[in-house]
Amino acid sequence: MLEKHRKKSKTSINCKVITVSDTRTEETDKSGQLIKQLLIEQEHLIVDYVIVCDELKEIEAAITKAVNDSKVEAVILNGGTGIANRDVTIEVVQSLTKKEIPGFGEIFRMLSYQHDIGSAAILSRAFAGVTNKTVLFSIPGSSGAVRLAMNELILPEIGHIVMEINKDT
């Protein structure tokens, strides 16, 4: 049944990539560049790419602009997912989400524990949800976390998720 759904799924998704960082630039944003590269390798389209400071209003504005753009089907944020005082990405994403996809964060933490950072995985607040027919993924900003989330979860399911979001319309 799952393979049947995947065969019906779109193979090219319009994506916006948002890096949340107080210090990164386009030249130093290895994680944002990696997300874009992995998406392009799978023939997804990058509609927009921005770097915003770890400030609630800036993150909210970038996400709101994306979910109000009819061309954007998926938003992938990286950075600001930890537990430091400055890490507010998850609070913003959750406040804008209509439906949570809890399995994303659960499985990401399990995979992180098993294949990447061990018990430090409990510090991750990776999150996914849906709003305004757009899927939102929020992942840590390290290259290892990006590679893990993209290869194991996001890329295999992004087309299926977008199909499910739009099947009732």
Side-chain angles (χ1 to χ4, degrees):
M1 182 71 139
L2 181 58
E3 285 307 311
K4 182 177 144 187
H5 279 280
R6 284 192 177 139
K7 286 180 182 173
K8 287 184 186 178
S9 301
K10 284 181 67 174
T11 56
S12 181
I13 305 300
N14 295 330
C15 303
K16 178 171 184 167
V17 177
I18 302 173
T19 295
V20 179
S21 174
D22 292 331
T23 58
R24 292 185 186 167
T25 65
E26 283 194 41
E27 294 77 36
T28 62
D29 181 20
K30 291 179 185 171
S31 294
Q33 299 302 331
L34 179 58
I35 293 168
K36 292 188 329 182
Q37 173 194 333
L38 292 170
L39 287 167
I40 290 167
E41 286 174 1
Q42 295 291 313
E43 299 182 0
H44 299 295
L45 301 173
I46 311 301
V47 174
D48 194 13
Y49 161 70
V50 295
I51 299 173
V52 297
C53 289
D54 211 337
E55 297 288 340
L56 197 134
K57 297 273 187 226
E58 287 191 41
I59 300 166
E60 183 177 60
I63 296 170
T64 300
K65 181 179 177 188
V67 300
N68 288 327
D69 182 341
S70 62
K71 292 184 296 258
V72 177
E73 299 170 291
V75 177
I76 304 170
L77 297 103
N78 75 97
T81 64
I83 60 172
N85 285 337
R86 298 264 320 136
D87 294 329
V88 296
T89 302
I90 300 303
E91 285 73 18
V92 176
V93 174
Q94 286 177 331
S95 74
L96 297 172
T97 296
K98 302 293 184 222
K99 290 188 177 189
E100 182 179 349
I101 306 172
F104 176 80
E106 294 163 359
I107 295 171
F108 175 79
R109 284 181 282 281
M110 179 195 72
L111 292 170
S112 292
Y113 174 78
Q114 292 175 335
H115 303 288
D116 193 20
I117 58 174
S119 60
I122 67 170
L123 299 174
S124 171
R125 298 187 305 142
F127 180 88
V130 176
T131 192
N132 202 22
K133 297 204 177 287
T134 307
V135 61
L136 306 172
F137 296 103
S138 188
I139 58 179
S142 75
S143 295
V146 165
R147 187 170 272 104
L148 182 70
M150 293 296 293
N151 289 333
E152 298 297 323
L153 299 170
I154 296 172
L155 291 172
E157 292 301 325
I158 194 168
H160 185 199
I161 292 169
V162 170
M163 180 191 77
E164 289 292 321
I165 292 170
N166 290 289
K167 77 178 186 181
D168 298 332
T169 57

